[in-house]
Amino acid sequence: MRARELGRKSVVVGDRVGLVGDTSGAPGALARIVRIAERRSVLRRTAEDDATTAEGRLERVVVANADQLVIVSALADPPPRTGFIDRCLVAAYDADIEPLLCLTKADLAGPEAVLGYYTELELPYVLIRPDSDLAALRALLAGRISVMVGHSGVGKSTLVNRLVPAADRAVGTVSAIGRGRHTSTSAVALRLPPQPDSGTDQDPGWIIDTPGVRSFGLAHVSAESLLHGFSDLVEATVDCPANCQHTADEADCALDAWVAAGKADPRRLASYRRLLASRSGEGDPREPERNPGDPLAGS
């Protein structure tokens, strides 16, 4: 229970709180939350990118006090959407949380296209197959509070069940049109079990499983901070004129010359400018943008 003065939506998953009452955890025990500790980090998202809309102003706290954002993306069925990953990277850097790319269903497709898209970022990643050893992933989760996000159908809940067998998270199938069905309905924090063969007493860490999402709105992130998710483009902006908006309409924007010189992937610039346009109400972050010539396009 929460103390009335804290309000209905004051406590989120990941919060450190002060309790009074019976804190034994025994069946039937009743305790009340009376204090929320200061948060080290806050991961947020909005329904839309445009802060002038009601949905853009509705800010949702996904989790508090996370150290790491695990972006779960399938390599096939459904196909990867780098636009969504880009959004998650922006949100992670804005919240001062380290990102980790987790590519599932590696038995169905190779990771080369996705990894090539992020080659300039040196983004840490792990590949997951149905029969793969999870030791590498466990090592990256150890000692941390990690929040897992991803589209429905990418195998996130299946992965959680492998990491924490007692979790029993519901899993589903992918529809014929390549979209997953929502199975997780609420965020839940799960303690990772210790590994007897690890040979160390290190804290195995926590994971926070979240419901599958269709979009990751960024209305809470300033236009300037959007660049945090595109570190491969930052250096080019030094040569931009004062007050450059970095849009395609800016005749003297240095980003175009930077890409033309082969110093960044043109798809990265296109993704960044899609986010800028979406902040102005152009486009809908809930619907993936498709480019028939680029299987990785879309948000």
Side-chain angles (χ1 to χ4, degrees), residues 160-213:
V160 169
N161 286 336
R162 291 185 62 192
L163 290 167
V164 189
D168 195 25
R169 297 292 274 174
V171 298
T173 58
V174 178
S175 68
I177 59 174
R179 288 181 177 175
R181 297 183 176 90
H182 292 285
T183 51
S184 302
T185 57
S186 60
V188 60
L190 301 164
R191 181 76 164 175
L192 288 165
Q195 297 302 299
D197 57 347
S198 63
T200 177
D201 295 330
Q202 184 182 19
D203 173 15
W206 289 77
I207 55 172
I208 299 176
D209 186 22
T210 62
V213 296

Side-chain angles (χ1 to χ4, degrees), residues 262-273:
K263 296 180 179 180
D265 192 318
R267 295 173 299 175
R268 297 280 294 158
L269 177 57
S271 180
Y272 172 57
R273 284 179 168 164

Side-chain angles (χ1 to χ4, degrees), residues 45-283:
R45 74 179 182 95
T46 54
E48 290 187 358
D49 294 332
D50 187 354
T52 64
T53 66
E55 291 81 2
R57 290 191 296 269
L58 183 59
E59 191 174 291
R60 297 176 175 86
V61 176
V62 180
V63 67
N65 298 318
D67 306 305
Q68 183 169 237
L69 178 62
V70 182
I71 308 166
V72 184
S73 174
L75 289 169
D77 193 30
R81 291 172 179 165
T82 52
F84 176 79
I85 298 174
D86 287 343
R87 289 173 173 276
C88 292
L89 289 174
V90 169
Y93 293 131
D94 183 69
D96 198 22
I97 298 173
E98 295 183 21
L100 170 64
L101 183 58
C102 182
L103 299 173
T104 62
K105 306 186 183 182
D107 57 316
L108 300 180
E112 294 78 15
V114 177
L115 297 182
Y117 178 80
Y118 292 107
T119 186
E120 298 297 327
L121 270 64
E122 298 182 356
L123 180 64
Y125 71 92
V126 289
L127 298 178
I128 303 296
R129 298 176 176 82
D131 58 349
S132 61
D133 185 356
L134 299 182
L137 177 57
R138 291 185 187 277
L140 293 168
L141 299 176
R144 295 184 169 192
I145 299 174
S146 303
V147 54
M148 307 181 77
V149 299
H151 283 305
S152 297
V154 298
K156 183 165 55 64
S157 294
T158 299
L159 179 59
V160 169
N161 286 336
R162 291 185 62 192
L163 290 167
V164 189
D168 195 25
R169 297 292 274 174
V171 298
T173 58
V174 178
S175 68
I177 59 174
R179 288 181 177 175
R181 297 183 176 90
H182 292 285
T183 51
S184 302
T185 57
S186 60
V188 60
L190 301 164
R191 181 76 164 175
L192 288 165
Q195 297 302 299
D197 57 347
S198 63
T200 177
D201 295 330
Q202 184 182 19
D203 173 15
W206 289 77
I207 55 172
I208 299 176
D209 186 22
T210 62
V213 296
R214 286 187 61 192
S215 68
F216 213 106
L218 299 172
H220 62 288
V221 180
S222 67
E224 295 79 11
S225 295
L226 285 179
L227 265 176
H228 290 170
F230 298 85
S231 57
D232 47 335
L233 302 177
V234 171
E235 186 177 345
T237 62
V238 174
D239 296 324
C240 285
N243 302 317
C244 180
Q245 300 300 307
H246 308 310
T247 64
D249 298 332
E250 293 278 358
D252 297 324
C253 179
L255 290 175
D256 297 280
W258 184 262
V259 169
K263 296 180 179 180
D265 192 318
R267 295 173 299 175
R268 297 280 294 158
L269 177 57
S271 180
Y272 172 57
R273 284 179 168 164
R274 278 200 300 270
L275 290 181
L276 289 174
S278 188
R279 291 185 61 84
S280 303
E282 302 172 22

